Amino acid sequence: MTTMGRGFWKWGLLTLALVGCGGVLGDEAEDEPMLTLEGTLQNTASSELGSADRLRAALLWDTWPKAVVDCIVQGTTPGGFANCQRLSPKSSFHHPGVEVQVDGRFPNTFSMPLRRLPEPGALMGEEGSWLGVAHVLAYVDGNGNRKLDRVSNEATSSTDIVVGFQEGFSEDSTETSSIVYREGALHPIFNKMFPNCPEVPQGYSVLTVRYTSTSEECFLKTRKVDLNIILEAQEAFQELACVQPNALVLIDTVRASTQGPPPPGSTQRCGTYVYAASRLEQVLYVNPHPERFCSTANTVAYTLRDYWDGTWDDRDSPPSWWPCPVTTP
């Protein structure tokens, strides 16, 4: 599996408004679909969907700041993709939103004919070479306004609840599909994200990567593609509604020995940080605001060493209050 591979959570948003079986609103109804996504919603025992008539879908777009994209393409930064993301402030990772009309009969099946081009904010690249990569999610439209309402870092609840993501992103998945949009020359980040895939044509297409224990295969599909959405009540799904992406690499880190013990009332857990940086070492995740909805955005990683620049290492003498296992330097 590559650095950009399976299970990596995606950012940016293109809202898809479901308008009932066969109904399409606006001028798009006259246009030939550039790509149609069809599939079923696979419910799990743990999912709590609320009102089925308010279940809708969205495309979640991968989009990173230009400095991050350039760093990934150059491929010379120690720490790989994780370190590249540190070149831009968290506020520069945004979530573009564009409505697209969709036919559907939720909660059983769906059909998403994509008739409009993505807006530039959902794409990576520059004039003459644009690339977009997206995945499908499902959410309960709590206020019935036909769009996924984003949640601030300070909010204690969310009007809309993300309840599912497309099939292929669990730890044991052996196949993952990505919706790809190309305009102009093929952007070089494509080969970083999909090193074993054929070159995609202009417009929309779908790449499916199939993993084995020793290799991976990639298949290109166009026009009409089957995708399934797994509906499951997972916190990781729900936080896709947050304004700030729920990615570990964007979590602030602090030096545990100088920061001092976590504040009273905070939630704490030991766990690994970004694999490329910490590997098997553990950090202490602290959320001083457990009452807030966006848990990841409010979490800080207390560490025993400087993973990125190597300017300090406290593993030989961790603070007396440190609760996590310590790896010998």
Side-chain angles (χ1 to χ4, degrees), residues 17 103 135:
D103 311 327
H135 302 84

Side-chain angles (χ1 to χ4, degrees), residues 145-200:
N145 66 351
R146 294 179 176 269
K147 68 176 184 178
L148 179 61
D149 296 304
R150 312 319 295 269
V151 183
S152 71
N153 291 353
E154 295 75 28
T156 57
S157 63
S158 176
T159 300
D160 298 337
I161 302 297
V162 178
V163 294
F165 203 72
Q166 78 177 57
E167 187 178 33
F169 282 80
S170 61
E171 288 298 324
D172 58 352
S173 297
T174 59
E175 184 175 295
T176 300
S177 294
S178 300
I179 301 154
V180 181
Y181 176 82
R182 172 187 174 182
E183 183 177 320
L186 186 65
H187 195 280
I189 198 173
F190 173 84
N191 292 320
K192 296 291 184 177
M193 299 179 71
F194 305 102
N196 298 310
C197 291
E199 181 174 324
V200 292

Side-chain angles (χ1 to χ4, degrees), residues 8 26 68 102 112 114 162 172 195 217 222 230 234 240 263 269 273 278 282 289 313 323:
F8 187 81
V68 176
V102 176
M112 302 178 184
L114 304 184
V162 178
D172 58 352
E217 298 178 285
T222 59
I230 304 297
Q234 288 190 22
L240 292 174
R269 67 177 178 87
Y273 187 45
S278 61
Q282 293 210 335
H289 300 286
D313 189 336

Side-chain angles (χ1 to χ4, degrees), residues 223-235:
R223 304 303 298 171
K224 186 173 290 187
V225 180
D226 291 332
L227 290 175
N228 293 320
I229 301 178
I230 304 297
L231 299 180
E232 187 173 6
Q234 288 190 22
E235 182 179 353

Side-chain angles (χ1 to χ4, degrees), residues 67 72 188 220 262 270:
I72 295 171
L220 172 66
C270 298

